Amino acid sequence: MSAAASTPPQTADDAPPPEKTSGFDGKRAFAHVAKQVSFGPHPSGSPAITKVQDYLLAELKSYGCFVETDSFGADTPIGRLNMKNILVKIPGEKPGVILLGTHYDTLLMDNFVGADDAGSSTAVMLELARLLCPQKGKFAVWIAFFDGEEAMKRWSDTDSRYGSRQMAARFSSSGDIKKIRAFLLADIVGGRKARFLRESTSTPALVDLIWNTAAKLGYSALFLNEGSSAEDDHDSFLKRDVPSVDVIGDFTNNGYWHTPQDSLDKISAKTLAIVGHVFLESVKQLQAK
Ligand SMILES: [Zn+2]
């Protein structure tokens, strides 16, 4: 055995060519994960997370995206924290919104950089924004980057999902919540050995949409017909009757979830590209409805 076998190289060498994944570039997505990791641990309210926010905003603007931000104070068990949601808005021709989302904060833990949780899904959403911002579909596509998904002390309804609760509440006040036809959430989607299970609290029709799309594209080895359940940012929208699905890697069995081992060597450009491809094609299906 060579040393390389036990220490996987931190490269995007397994990325499929973008033309095989509807233009989604796994190498670019991998680079977005590496960049987020380079900022170090970035829990909500930390100096490092402001660098991640600046990076996200600079990238999104370079793609020509229209971006809104919402800075808010969140009362947490460790005090009031400044948080920031970032929302890309791509206009459509008819009323109705397809919402995509990820969180970008990392768990508050020493040496936790969160390559997979949530560097991977944030990277996928950046790459989706690059592809979707120049397009105009039947329905608007909004892409949410949530702050404050992670608990500051212990996961509960009040200590977690700060950003998505904030955005869902704002959409309720503005009336936008009624326009959202579907919410597709990604979380922990970049693992070299990722497997995706049907999340049981998600809206069944949207789970079917994602899984049927994945099957058609030949990804049934990753998108398994087994169930699991996860509390995540989709809950904030399910509670307000928005059809929602959480596409989340089987984190309980990945061996590094919420540990300092959630590092760049766990990430596969190929997995990122597959998830990106499934999201792109699922959005096309939603645009055709
Ligand atoms: Zn997490």
Side-chain angles (χ1 to χ4, degrees), residues 52-61 86 104 122 126 145:
V52 176
Q53 290 157 354
D54 291 346
Y55 174 66
L56 297 178
L57 291 169
E59 285 296 311
L60 294 169
K61 284 181 184 159
I86 296 170
Y104 67 88
T122 302
L126 277 177
F145 296 82

Side-chain angles (χ1 to χ4, degrees), residues 103 105 107 112 117-118 149-150 155 187-188 257-258:
H103 76 93
D105 60 302
L107 181 71
F112 182 86
D117 182 9
E149 186 266 349
E150 300 289 0
W155 184 274
D187 196 5
I188 315 181
W257 177 64
H258 283 191

Side-chain angles (χ1 to χ4, degrees), residues 20-289:
K20 298 228 162 137
T21 48
S22 299
F24 191 98
D25 190 335
K27 279 198 168 84
R28 290 186 74 114
F30 186 91
H32 290 314
V33 181
K35 188 74 184 181
Q36 291 172 80
V37 166
S38 78
F39 295 121
H42 43 278
S44 295
S46 66
I49 203 169
T50 63
K51 295 191 176 148
V52 176
Q53 290 157 354
D54 291 346
Y55 174 66
L56 297 178
L57 291 169
E59 285 296 311
L60 294 169
K61 284 181 184 159
S62 76
Y63 312 147
C65 299
F66 176 77
V67 185
E68 288 181 353
T69 59
D70 177 24
S71 298
F72 61 99
D75 289 311
T76 82
I78 59 167
R80 193 164 175 87
L81 296 177
N82 291 321
M83 296 192 188
K84 186 185 274 184
N85 285 334
I86 296 170
L87 181 64
V88 171
K89 285 184 165 178
I90 306 160
E93 283 147 12
K94 293 199 166 176
V97 173
I98 298 160
L99 179 66
L100 312 179
T102 175
H103 76 93
Y104 67 88
D105 60 302
T106 55
L107 181 71
L108 180 57
M109 172 188 277
D110 286 346
N111 303 312
F112 182 86
V113 294
D116 206 4
D117 182 9
S120 63
S121 52
T122 302
V124 166
M125 291 301 154
L126 277 177
E127 179 60 0
L128 290 175
R130 184 181 72 87
L131 295 166
L132 295 173
C133 281
Q135 298 182 15
K136 190 171 192 180
K138 185 160 91 172
F139 300 112
V141 177
W142 293 357
I143 306 176
F145 296 82
F146 302 118
D147 201 341
E149 186 266 349
E150 300 289 0
M152 297 305 135
K153 279 214 165 147
R154 218 183 77 199
W155 184 274
S156 70
D157 283 350
T158 50
D159 185 16
S160 71
R161 293 162 285 187
Y162 296 93
S164 58
R165 286 190 282 128
Q166 163 81 5
M167 192 177 287
R170 282 194 55 145
F171 284 164
S172 288
S173 315
S174 68
D176 283 339
I177 199 93
K178 292 197 184 76
K179 298 182 197 159
I180 305 172
R181 301 169 63 87
F183 172 38
L184 314 183
L185 174 68
D187 196 5
I188 315 181
V189 293
R192 288 172 175 269
K193 296 172 187 164
R195 45 209 289 281
F196 300 95
L197 311 180
R198 291 170 171 266
E199 201 281 311
S200 60
T201 67
S202 296
T203 306
L206 288 179
V207 178
D208 286 343
L209 169 76
I210 296 276
W211 259 254
N212 291 342
T213 302
K216 253 181 254 163
L217 296 173
Y219 302 138
S220 290
L222 271 81
F223 286 76
L224 307 178
N225 282 316
E226 292 171 36
S228 70
S229 85
E231 294 188 1
D232 208 340
D233 285 315
H234 62 318
D235 300 324
S236 307
F237 290 84
L238 283 170
K239 278 186 184 135
R240 296 178 190 270
D241 299 322
V242 176
S244 306
V245 57
D246 188 14
V247 178
I248 183 166
D250 184 13
F251 57 95
T252 54
N253 294 310
N254 70 15
Y256 54 80
W257 177 64
H258 283 191
T259 76
Q261 282 73 52
D262 184 353
S263 45
L264 191 59
D265 54 293
K266 306 304 184 301
I267 300 300
S268 156
K270 184 178 177 185
T271 307
L272 295 168
I274 287 170
V275 172
H277 194 191
V278 169
F279 267 70
L280 277 173
E281 292 303 315
S282 298
V283 168
K284 278 184 200 160
Q285 298 277 322
L286 291 166
Q287 289 284 24
K289 283 187 182 175

